[in-house]
Amino acid sequence: MEQTEQQQETLLNTCIICDHPKPYGIMICSEFICDECEAEMVKTDVLDAKYPFFIHRMNKIWYKMNA
């Protein structure tokens, strides 16, 4: 059975890291992180300049949990 374009679009979630709608990723406390961002975060060293950016974006999860 083929899905319509509209049905496929509704399967996209917006990543809390890159803010782009993506079809694949993980849900953490009802927040979505796409596969690409997850892979980049996992390989990012704590001394990398991108690390604080990822921490800042991930804070959305903790703020929502504690609201």
Side-chain angles (χ1 to χ4, degrees):
M1 182 173 216
E2 227 178 286
Q3 292 182 337
T4 66
E5 187 174 326
Q6 185 178 13
Q7 286 173 321
Q8 288 176 345
E9 286 179 16
T10 61
L11 297 177
L12 299 178
N13 291 299
T14 301
C15 177
I16 65 167
I17 305 298
C18 66
D19 283 329
H20 290 102
K22 302 281 181 87
Y24 302 107
I26 61 171
M27 296 296 286
I28 300 176
C29 299
S30 75
E31 294 292 343
F32 178 76
I33 300 175
C34 71
D35 284 347
E36 292 88 0
C37 288
E38 178 194 8
E40 189 172 354
M41 285 191 305
V42 168
K43 71 178 183 176
T44 300
D45 187 87
V46 296
L47 300 176
D48 192 302
K50 289 183 181 181
Y51 190 80
F53 169 77
F54 290 134
I55 296 300
H56 174 73
R57 301 299 281 197
M58 292 284 293
N59 278 335
K60 291 180 183 180
I61 295 171
W62 316 129
Y63 290 139
K64 192 174 257 190
M65 283 179 54
N66 293 321

